Amino acid sequence: MRCLVTGATGYIGGRLAPRLLAEGHEVRCLARKAGRLRDVPWAARAEIAEGDLRKPETLPAAFAGVDVAYYLVHSLGQAGFEAADREAATHFAEAAAAAGVRRIVYLGGPEPKEDGELPSPHLRSRAEVGRILLDSGVPTVVLRAAVIIGSGSASFEMLRYLTERLPAMVTPRWVRNRIQPIAVRDVLRYLVACATLPPEVDRAFDIAGPDVLTFQEMMQRYARVAGLRRRIILPVRPLTPSLSSHWVGLITPVPNSIARPLVESLIHEAVAGEHDIARWIPDPPDGLTGFDQAVALALAKVRDAEVETRWSTASGPDAPAEPLPSDPQWSGGTAYTDVRERTVAAPRDALWRVIEGVGGEHGWYSFPLAWSVRGWLDRLVGGVGLRRGRRDPHRLQVGEALDFWRVEEIVPGELLRLRAEMRLPGRAWLEMRAEPDGDGRSRYVQRAVFLPRGLAGHLYWGAVAPFHAVVFGGMARNIARGAAHSL
């Protein structure tokens, strides 16, 4: 079948596309910018269509000839995400119906329960999207999953960092609510199998793993699987979802903008009410993946640097539409730049290995305290901070997150360009180049570019400029030194 995957730059979509290809399906991915999928390992086997669910005029070509359309996008973490998701789902449903698509598949969240608590905006929005797609006139399957356990998922990262970093903690009362998590491998298995369901299947299904646990029990079982001592957990009433999200944001890589809707969702118990999906998609012979096994599999992927996708892979629609040109001509505006060059006593390939390895556990090769403080300040104002790290310790690809940057362009062996995603009064980029210099040497060229927004932007650059000699100068010097010492 020909399958259209929206959200292929995200956590689930980026894993689903190669699995559909492995099953022999044709895969077309819808992305706002085709270049975002340029470096994924399966890109050459898939068709990439440019389009935007907020712009219905861009959709007919993407939906033409499609048998199965997967809706795997959301605007979580952005202001006004409920309205944005409603609009995107409506345009998707209309385009699918107009193109004669035979099946829609949507991965949503658990159905909000009548438990005395108002549904969280996140769960309310997921349910609304499901209803819009079910009302499209196209046979639709809505898969309702609670917490997804897999390397790189936001829920798993939240669980992992809270448990590993806090041997003792005071927690909100929702840690005692029951949850039925599901392993990402089982989610993907259901999504792939939905492509071949008969047309009369037109409904929502709960999908979940075999274990019903509280979040507190999940933390204790994670600790046991990870070889950690039992955690001391004291639930207390005063911690509201807002306070809890700030607490999660400080301890884990998940920023407040995403932590808050996740925490608000945990206020409700999320236990599957049925397992009807097994009538059409039977459980595997050895059963669905249990929580302990899912954690062990995820930790093995992290340890072996084999994480396929991460929650931070996706960038929101408010990301800059135009990248930094390689040789910008700024007419009528201001661009502040900081350029550093160093001769490197090492060949170009040795220099490139250091460049491509920046960030994450390797750090930024200069004044670690300054980078750390900048990351903490960003977290305090609701930004992503430095804790997103990197997916792979050695290799980067276009579109993925790298601490508080995003990889905008990479030319292997030559150029790495990063776009800033920290909170700034303007837009910023950092370029690192490796150039040949003859006689077994190379040249390192580093350029920081900042486009200020209003007076605040100009004042910001003036305030940080005195530190550039230490931060950017030290970075260039230490990268050159690191390349020479790597020989």
Side-chain angles (χ1 to χ4, degrees):
M1 294 184 175
R2 177 172 291 167
C3 302
L4 176 69
V5 178
T6 62
T9 59
Y11 177 70
I12 293 292
R15 298 187 181 208
L16 175 63
R19 284 160 177 79
L20 290 171
L21 288 166
E23 289 293 315
H25 299 301
E26 296 179 29
V27 173
R28 178 185 295 161
C29 297
L30 179 68
R32 289 190 298 272
K33 294 292 180 182
R36 284 290 314 279
L37 293 169
R38 187 193 70 191
D39 294 338
V40 296
W42 44 268
R45 296 183 288 138
E47 179 186 353
I48 312 300
E50 284 199 350
D52 189 336
L53 291 177
R54 299 176 304 172
K55 301 175 181 178
E57 68 277 6
T58 68
L59 302 181
F63 280 81
V66 166
D67 300 302
V68 182
Y70 287 89
Y71 189 90
L72 301 173
V73 298
H74 61 76
S75 304
L76 188 65
Q78 300 164 33
F81 72 88
E82 289 185 85
D85 282 345
R86 183 184 309 118
E87 179 185 26
T90 300
H91 293 162
F92 180 98
E94 292 172 349
V101 171
R102 291 188 282 170
R103 159 79 53 211
I104 290 174
V105 182
Y106 168 55
L107 178 63
E111 187 74 12
K113 300 292 194 298
E114 297 295 332
D115 55 6
E117 298 274 6
L118 291 175
S120 73
H122 171 47
L123 292 185
R124 187 171 62 224
S125 176
R126 289 297 185 95
E128 181 183 26
V129 168
R131 288 192 297 270
I132 290 171
L133 299 178
L134 285 166
D135 293 341
S136 65
V138 178
T140 297
V141 168
V142 173
L143 300 178
R144 298 186 297 220
V147 171
I148 296 177
I149 302 297
S151 60
S153 79
S155 297
F156 177 73
E157 293 288 278
M158 192 167 83
L159 172 68
R160 173 189 169 200
Y161 278 83
L162 287 175
T163 308
E164 291 185 353
R165 295 188 172 187
L166 298 175
M169 63 192 93
V170 175
T171 60
R173 59 181 177 172
W174 52 255
V175 300
R176 291 178 173 170
N177 290 346
R178 296 185 308 153
I179 304 164
Q180 197 165 355
I182 183 170
V184 68
R185 57 162 49 187
D186 289 328
V187 172
L188 293 167
R189 177 177 160 274
Y190 283 127
L191 288 169
V192 171
C194 281
T196 54
L197 289 177
E200 63 268 21
V201 181
D202 184 23
R203 55 164 288 187
F205 295 96
D206 289 341
I207 59 171
D211 300 308
V212 177
L213 306 164
T214 67
F215 199 85
Q216 180 173 335
E217 291 170 334
M218 288 168 61
M219 286 191 285
Q220 297 292 14
R221 287 175 65 164
Y222 176 96
R224 185 169 69 243
V225 174
L228 305 173
R229 288 184 298 177
R230 183 174 177 81
R231 274 26 204 162
I232 300 171
I233 301 172
L234 178 64
V236 296
R237 182 176 295 272
L239 285 177
T240 64
S242 178
L243 288 173
S244 297
S245 64
H246 285 290
W247 165 64
V248 170
L250 286 173
I251 301 300
T252 80
V254 182
N256 294 356
S257 58
I258 294 177
R260 179 159 186 164
L262 290 178
V263 167
E264 288 174 340
S265 300
L266 293 172
I267 293 172
H268 310 275
E269 292 207 332
V271 177
E274 43 81 13
H275 189 48
D276 297 350
I277 191 74
R279 176 182 171 187
W280 288 276
I281 307 174
D283 293 348
D286 54 350
L288 294 167
T289 309
F291 177 80
D292 290 359
Q293 184 186 2
V295 169
L297 290 168
L299 288 175
K301 293 287 187 183
V302 172
R303 182 187 63 243
D304 298 336
E306 294 179 351
V307 180
E308 288 182 66
T309 58
R310 300 175 68 224
W311 64 271
S312 57
T313 303
S315 61
D318 55 349
E322 296 298 328
L324 174 69
S326 58
D327 187 19
Q329 299 295 321
W330 311 108
S331 56
T334 300
Y336 293 112
T337 61
D338 182 282
V339 179
R340 312 275 170 170
E341 298 187 19
R342 303 283 298 190
T343 298
V344 183
R348 187 179 187 178
D349 59 343
L351 173 58
W352 176 251
R353 285 194 296 271
V354 176
I355 291 174
E356 194 175 11
V358 298
E361 294 183 0
H362 296 160
W364 292 89
Y365 290 91
S366 72
F367 204 180
L369 178 61
W371 287 93
S372 180
V373 168
R374 185 63 183 88
W376 275 104
L377 290 174
D378 195 53
R379 300 286 286 193
L380 288 174
V381 296
V384 295
L386 280 175
R387 288 212 187 109
R388 292 192 301 185
R390 48 183 295 156
R391 179 187 59 85
D392 184 292
H394 307 294
R395 298 288 179 266
L396 295 173
Q397 60 189 35
V398 166
E400 68 181 357
L402 175 59
D403 290 333
F404 47 40
W405 306 91
R406 189 167 298 275
V407 180
E408 184 173 273
E409 181 59 273
I410 183 168
V411 180
E414 298 180 20
L415 167 70
L416 174 62
R417 181 184 302 131
L418 307 174
R419 185 183 72 240
E421 291 192 330
M422 73 282 279
R423 297 294 179 92
L424 289 170
R427 295 166 59 190
W429 291 262
L430 178 62
E431 283 187 343
M432 289 170 273
R433 292 179 180 270
E435 299 178 351
D437 200 31
D439 297 327
R441 299 181 305 174
S442 56
R443 189 155 191 81
Y444 174 65
V445 181
Q446 175 183 294
R447 181 173 69 145
V449 179
F450 180 67
L451 274 64
R453 183 175 60 248
L455 177 61
H458 293 279
L459 293 175
Y460 172 82
W461 181 265
V464 300
F467 300 99
H468 285 176
V470 176
V471 176
F472 290 136
M475 183 178 180
R477 183 172 58 254
N478 292 329
I479 284 178
R481 185 180 299 154
H485 288 171
S486 68
L487 297 178

